[in-house]
Amino acid sequence: TGRVEFRDVHFAYDPNRQILKGVSFEVPAGKTVAIVGPSGAGKSTISRLLFRFYDIQQGAILIDGQDIRDVSQQSLRGAIGMVPQDTVLFNDTIAYNIRYGRVNADEEDVRKAAELAQISGFIQRLPDGYKAMVGERGLKLSGGEKQRVAIARTILKAPPILMLDEATSALDTQTEQEIQSALDLVSKGRTTLVIAHRLSTVISADEIIVLADGGIAERGTHADLLAQG
Ligand code: ADP
Ligand code: ADP
């Protein structure tokens, strides 16, 4: 489950400026589709529309065939896990940050999620902001470590749909590769929508959609798009 479908989606924040002019694509259950395109093309807008932060003006967005306008905000948020570009952490332990939203989560499951995301070493520590108050328990997390906290959160949540919105673009090349392999593990077998600004970061996607001027300029596998130039 977790099939996502955008069907002839039209959207404008402001009636004078259309951002999406009839965009259609499908992410089959368990597959990965990447949306690429220049800055301002409307990539993050697609992510916001899937969470229904805004309503579209025409068309439909469906999850497993159901229009998201007929799904409660709670089940929509429960169905989608999100790894954003910059993960903002609460001033509480890393374990709390992993468990966030799932107060009843089992301690053992939190530990396992941390282990898979390779942050077991510091789950009882606090992110940087609290350092002044708590002394040596404070911990300055790198960008990559913060993304690992978001990954652990997603492993624990185990949502049918995963949204990766520029999840590695704020990282240096070495860290980007490490986080990319962690994300590959999480997205395996899960319906995944990846938003990226570079084609080179989405080589393994089942389909890549190039967004430009409010529509789909090109689509295909990485090899197809390279062949088309
Ligand atoms: P991308 O993720 O491809 O860089 P976005 O989806 O963030 O693009 O933005 C697409 C366009 O919509 C941009 O021109 C942006 O300025 C505009 N935009 C984004 N958010 C809003 C908003 N809340 N109100 C008005 N315009 C917006
Ligand atoms: P929760 O733990 O609340 O069930 P997640 O861990 O999946 O949900 O995190 C999703 C969070 O990211 C939500 O709180 C949502 O408001 C936020 N979010 C989702 N999409 C975007 C977006 N495009 N831009 C900014 N924030 C977003």
Side-chain angles (χ1 to χ4, degrees):
T1 63
R3 177 169 56 95
V4 171
E5 194 184 346
F6 274 58
R7 196 182 282 170
D8 190 35
V9 169
H10 292 249
F11 176 73
Y13 292 99
D14 156 356
N16 299 318
R17 196 163 149 255
Q18 209 61 30
I19 305 294
L20 302 178
K21 305 173 188 168
V23 168
S24 299
F25 65 88
E26 189 190 327
V27 194
K31 301 288 186 190
T32 296
V33 169
I35 310 279
V36 302
S39 176
K43 304 184 297 294
S44 290
T45 298
I46 285 179
S47 139
R48 291 177 209 129
L49 293 177
L50 183 61
F51 276 98
R52 212 183 154 203
F53 286 175
Y54 301 89
D55 274 322
I56 58 176
Q57 282 92 25
Q58 194 183 313
I61 300 171
L62 305 109
I63 293 178
D64 290 326
Q66 189 178 23
D67 194 310
I68 60 168
R69 286 171 285 213
D70 300 328
V71 177
S72 73
Q73 198 53 240
Q74 194 187 0
S75 42
L76 198 55
R77 287 183 48 168
I80 311 167
M82 165 95 177
V83 182
Q85 180 171 342
D86 293 301
T87 298
V88 180
L89 298 176
F90 296 103
N91 275 328
D92 204 319
T93 61
I94 304 302
Y96 174 90
N97 274 279
I98 295 171
R99 187 188 293 120
Y100 161 70
R102 275 151 293 274
V103 282
N104 299 320
D106 190 79
E107 205 56 52
E108 180 61 14
D109 291 339
V110 174
R111 203 189 55 74
K112 273 191 212 140
E115 196 174 301
L116 287 168
Q118 299 179 355
I119 48 173
S120 319
F122 49 85
I123 56 171
Q124 292 317 323
R125 307 274 296 271
L126 297 149
D128 195 38
Y130 256 12
K131 204 152 64 177
M133 290 170 64
V134 300
E136 68 227 32
R137 277 186 72 207
L139 173 68
K140 180 139 181 64
L141 293 178
S142 67
E145 285 164 343
K146 274 195 250 179
Q147 293 311 72
R148 288 188 187 281
V149 175
I151 288 167
R153 190 182 275 172
T154 305
I155 292 171
L156 183 68
K157 179 172 176 170
I161 300 166
L162 185 59
M163 167 70 74
L164 309 177
D165 190 351
E166 307 265 16
T168 63
S169 39
L171 306 172
D172 61 77
T173 316
Q174 165 73 29
T175 313
E176 179 173 17
Q177 280 167 13
E178 289 167 13
I179 297 303
Q180 192 53 57
S181 12
L183 289 169
D184 287 346
L185 285 177
V186 184
S187 62
K188 201 162 195 277
R190 188 164 281 154
T191 309
T192 305
L193 194 55
V194 183
I195 289 170
H197 61 283
R198 282 187 293 126
L199 206 54
S200 60
T201 58
V202 292
I203 296 171
S204 60
D206 296 293
E207 185 180 34
I208 299 169
I209 287 172
V210 183
L211 210 59
D213 298 322
I216 295 175
E218 286 179 278
R219 67 199 306 163
T221 62
H222 189 259
D224 295 338
L225 294 182
L226 283 188
Q228 288 164 29

